[in-house]
Amino acid sequence: MVEVFTDSGNVQGSVMGQMTAMGHEQVAFCVDEQTGLKSIIAVHNTNLGPSLGGVRMWPYANEQEALKDALRLSRGMTYKSALAGLKLGGGKSVIIGDSRTQKTEALMRRFGRFVETQNGKYIAAEDVGMSPSDMQAIRKETKHVVGLPESDGGAGDPSPFTAYGVYMGMKAAAMKTTGEDSLEGFRVLVQGVGHVGAYLVGHLVREGAHVMVTDIHEQSLQKLAKQYPVEVVAPDAIYDLPMDVYAPCALGATLNDATLDKLRCSIVAGAANNQLADETIHGQRLMEKGILYVPDFLGNAGGIINCYYDLVGYDAKKVEHKVEEIYSTAMKVFEKAELENIPTYLAANRLAEERFMK
Ligand code: NAD
């Protein structure tokens, strides 16, 4: 099996060779001289439903890098949606270019027409380098778009649901490690108090956790410290602090050789994507250290759940209930990991595969 999100799992070779190795159904390329669009749509698997995933605009060094990202990210979306119990497949699109200098309305609309050629097999959502106004431009050319602002009839900001899902995963981990799902009295460190992190802090404070927060953006920290009784800590000091839960809600790859040498906690549960620098090595390392890891693509599925209901008929209550299922899925993952004596990320991958592979 090729591992999800593993750098060492990247496969070299022809496009079809890479698709075969990673299990992709379809990859489409679009080049348009007039608007400057260079884009790839990767559809990994549609066994459970249409593929859904973000549009990423990034100045990739070359086409191979762009393809690699599209293949890796679309595959990750299949696993995320399957594990969340959604009738969705996994897809992702990339636009090669600098979003700050090369983005135009014409380029976005041309991309929209590219999405339209997929006839609904791929549904686009917002990702790195895209803004709500870009999604509105894409929407002018195709209806296969989700996550538009509420003012445009979309589901709006998914962050509250993402935070709620992370909280559910954290509570499940507390249940597994202590026999009770309360986080009262737990020392929780939230790294990154942006959209998701700030909502997560709210849940934790209300539950009586001792919340420590860090961010490189001083203003976000100050704003949060006025709102909640939190302890502010310096970003570079966090891995030396004793804590019960480490909640990475900023960047990926914070679970790596350097941090895992230091980290002293019993649970890792956060919103950031790709938290394990190398899934195989660091997933195993966490297990050996006795740290219960809530796989990122399980805990942070609130965003995709919100997008799913945007697609099938929005109902915030339904979204909330579905997000709450992250708790029971996490318990299943922990049990499977224990039974098979494997890291939790691998148990989550296998559970997802049981759902989407036919
Ligand atoms: P955001 O940009 O609003 O917040 C990220 C915060 O992290 C910012 O305040 C930033 O200043 C801070 N930060 C960056 N580097 C840091 C560092 N080294 N140390 C401490 N703080 C640092 O992003 P967000 O929407 O809150 O998402 C957080 C993470 O969760 C991202 O990795 C994102 O990909 C992932 N995620 C988000 C959603 C969602 O619904 N927003 C869904 C799934 C996954």
Side-chain angles (χ1 to χ4, degrees):
M1 188 184 78
V2 181
E3 304 293 0
V4 197
F5 297 138
T6 306
D7 284 345
S8 54
N10 289 331
V11 210
Q12 301 298 322
S14 70
V15 177
M16 286 191 189
Q18 293 181 62
M19 288 172 66
T20 307
M22 295 180 77
H24 282 76
E25 278 177 23
Q26 181 180 305
V27 176
F29 296 82
C30 180
V31 174
D32 182 67
E33 255 187 82
Q34 209 177 351
T35 58
L37 180 72
K38 285 185 182 158
S39 175
I40 303 170
I41 295 177
V43 173
H44 177 255
N45 186 291
T46 55
N47 283 350
L48 294 175
S51 76
L52 195 154
V55 190
R56 178 168 292 193
M57 184 164 184
W58 192 254
Y60 294 101
N62 53 51
E63 288 161 35
Q64 190 53 35
E65 289 298 311
L67 176 65
K68 202 165 82 177
D69 219 21
L71 293 177
R72 183 179 67 90
L73 294 168
S74 55
R75 188 174 192 272
M77 291 308 297
T78 300
Y79 281 76
K80 185 184 281 202
S81 289
L83 197 62
L86 302 174
K87 291 180 183 158
L88 283 179
K92 200 85 183 181
S93 56
V94 295
I95 297 174
I96 303 175
D98 188 330
S99 64
R100 285 166 305 174
T101 56
Q102 289 174 291
K103 208 158 52 178
T104 60
E105 158 109 7
L107 183 102
M108 287 297 117
R109 292 188 67 158
R110 181 64 188 87
F111 174 75
R113 291 198 291 282
F114 180 32
V115 172
E116 181 63 15
T117 64
Q118 302 300 301
N119 289 318
K121 199 177 170 79
Y122 169 68
I123 297 154
E126 196 179 319
D127 194 33
V128 177
M130 303 298 286
S131 69
S133 65
D134 298 328
M135 301 314 289
Q136 285 161 331
I138 295 168
R139 180 68 181 85
K140 287 181 186 159
E141 302 292 344
T142 180
K143 65 177 192 302
H144 304 300
V145 177
V146 288
L148 289 169
E150 281 166 296
S151 53
D152 283 316
D157 181 15
S159 307
F161 293 107
T162 305
Y164 191 48
V166 172
Y167 172 59
M168 286 293 120
M170 204 183 283
K171 282 173 81 65
M175 180 59 143
K176 181 70 186 163
T177 51
T178 68
E180 281 180 41
D181 70 9
S182 169
L183 296 164
E184 193 178 353
F186 272 52
R187 286 175 67 83
V188 185
L189 181 115
V190 180
Q191 180 188 34
V193 288
H195 288 96
V196 181
Y199 284 110
L200 178 62
V201 168
H203 290 298
L204 297 171
V205 167
R206 282 189 289 276
E207 186 146 337
H210 176 94
V211 184
M212 297 175 285
V213 294
T214 192
D215 200 291
I216 50 168
H217 194 236
E218 189 58 31
Q219 266 179 319
S220 307
L221 277 178
Q222 295 313 329
K223 190 174 153 210
L224 202 81
K226 276 196 195 126
Q227 210 178 343
Y228 298 110
V230 291
E231 183 186 344
V232 175
V233 296
D236 47 4
I238 59 170
Y239 301 107
D240 296 308
L241 295 172
M243 61 184 95
D244 299 299
V245 185
Y246 167 49
C249 297
L251 307 170
T254 60
L255 299 166
N256 53 46
D257 288 342
T259 59
L260 284 182
D261 272 348
K262 300 182 188 173
L263 202 60
R264 282 174 292 157
C265 62
S266 50
I267 293 166
V268 174
N273 285 312
N274 305 338
Q275 291 167 27
L276 298 166
D278 183 300
E279 203 174 51
T280 316
I281 297 170
H282 303 115
Q284 179 71 28
R285 229 7 240 301
L286 281 168
M287 183 169 96
E288 285 163 7
K289 283 188 71 139
I291 297 174
L292 187 58
Y293 172 57
V294 180
D296 45 18
F297 67 103
L298 166 62
N300 71 15
I304 188 78
I305 293 171
N306 200 48
C307 282
Y308 173 72
Y309 283 98
D310 196 0
L311 194 67
V312 297
Y314 198 70
D315 180 337
K317 271 278 155 237
K318 283 188 184 163
V319 178
E320 199 177 304
H321 286 316
K322 198 72 186 164
V323 172
E324 281 165 358
E325 285 177 19
I326 289 175
Y327 183 102
S328 51
T329 306
M331 293 308 284
K332 280 186 197 139
V333 166
F334 302 152
E335 276 153 31
K336 192 174 178 64
E338 195 170 62
L339 203 68
E340 298 179 22
N341 193 26
I342 54 173
T344 51
Y345 85 86
L346 192 54
N349 282 354
R350 289 185 184 169
L351 205 59
E353 282 164 3
E354 283 166 20
R355 291 181 179 178
F356 78 81
M357 282 185 176
K358 287 181 181 162

